[in-house]
Amino acid sequence: QIQLVQSGPELKKPGESVKISCKASGYTFTDYAMHWVKQAPGKGLKWMGWINTYTGKPTYADDFKGRFVFSLEASASTANLQISNLKNEDTATYFCARHNIGTTDYFDYWGQGVMVTVSS
Amino acid sequence: DIQMTQSPASLSASLEEIVTITCQASQDIGNWLAWYQQKPGKSPQLLIYGATSLADGVPSRFSGSRSGTQYSLKISRLQVEDIGIYYCLQAYSAPPTFGGGTKLELK
């Protein structure tokens, strides 16, 4: 069955970096783009951007340009999100989500989420 | 960016009641609308895609409809396991945008 399994929770200090992984299984990794979505505590869902899993090209939403990097380990069917120079406002749960392209587009499978806490 | 205005923000309903949640798109998005359910501490789960198509394994009491740029999610007979937060998503044009969410509680 199709699964996206993300890495575990992280506790970081301001200014540090964090790398989150999303390992896909049950399908051909390079056939579907991967998106990243942020959910701050008690808040809604915010799209961060996506990565073309075939070419490795990332696209970032305006609010996530600069400190955020999407990358791949295609041989391991894994997408990564790295956040540098962490700020308190980066405290959130980060989800990866598979992009299904059919008659319409939508995100069909999601990882379980990674809680990142930034605190001094 | 396309704005998705979701209403109501919160909703209290009784078991077996009919529940309707709506999303209003700021411009035409065709049928590029999906609905998700999120339970506390969990990831969003796909309910409806293409505005009206039921995702695999989703109970038939869930349905989606469209009238112009207004989209609705209907739960025909509310069950305990339907409690959670519901979001709409437009993927018609970049950036994809979510509605603000509807928190559904039991009365």
Side-chain angles (χ1 to χ4, degrees):
Chain A
Q1 75 282 22
I2 295 168
Q3 283 189 303
L4 300 178
V5 179
Q6 297 186 242
S7 48
E10 301 274 3
L11 175 59
K12 295 290 184 180
K13 290 180 167 52
E16 293 184 337
S17 296
V18 68
K19 190 173 184 178
I20 297 164
S21 66
C22 170
K23 183 171 176 60
S25 61
Y27 71 96
T28 301
F29 181 69
T30 52
D31 283 352
Y32 297 83
M34 194 70 77
H35 293 249
W36 291 93
V37 176
K38 177 183 179 181
Q39 187 170 40
K43 301 298 184 182
L45 303 168
K46 186 169 186 177
W47 181 75
M48 300 174 67
W50 67 286
I51 186 164
N52 183 317
T53 54
Y54 186 76
T55 65
K57 179 185 175 184
T59 299
Y60 302 96
D62 288 344
D63 288 347
F64 297 97
K65 292 177 179 175
R67 299 186 297 114
F68 299 82
V69 175
F70 306 147
S71 63
L72 301 175
E73 296 170 50
S75 61
S77 299
T78 298
N80 301 306
L81 163 64
Q82 183 161 351
I83 311 171
S84 59
N85 189 21
L86 282 161
K87 304 178 187 304
N88 290 331
E89 53 264 37
D90 295 325
T91 294
T93 298
Y94 293 88
F95 296 99
C96 58
R98 193 183 82 156
H99 183 166
N100 190 303
I101 298 177
T103 308
T104 64
D105 295 10
Y106 51 95
F107 305 156
D108 55 0
Y109 289 90
W110 295 62
Q112 82 275 19
V114 175
M115 179 68 204
V116 175
T117 303
V118 183
S119 175
S120 54
Chain B
D1 298 0
I2 296 176
Q3 307 301 316
M4 301 301 297
T5 303
Q6 189 171 340
S7 62
S10 64
L11 177 56
S12 182
S14 302
L15 290 176
E16 304 290 325
E17 189 173 334
I18 297 172
V19 170
T20 302
I21 298 167
T22 63
C23 268
Q24 178 71 48
S26 61
Q27 63 188 74
D28 179 33
I29 59 169
N31 286 331
W32 269 258
L33 191 285
W35 289 99
Y36 298 86
Q37 177 195 64
Q38 186 179 31
K39 297 187 178 182
K42 301 293 186 182
S43 58
Q45 298 296 305
L46 178 67
L47 298 174
I48 300 287
Y49 63 94
T52 61
S53 298
L54 196 66
D56 290 344
V58 176
S60 58
R61 64 180 178 274
F62 290 91
S63 63
S65 64
R66 170 193 173 192
S67 177
T69 57
Q70 181 165 289
Y71 300 81
S72 298
L73 173 70
K74 178 182 171 182
I75 308 173
S76 61
R77 295 172 61 180
L78 186 66
Q79 303 297 302
V80 171
E81 58 267 31
D82 301 335
I83 298 312
I85 301 177
Y86 291 79
Y87 295 95
C88 63
L89 164 71
Q90 74 78 22
Y92 177 76
S93 72
T97 46
F98 292 93
T102 295
K103 185 174 184 179
L104 177 57
E105 298 176 316
L106 267 182
K107 189 181 290 181

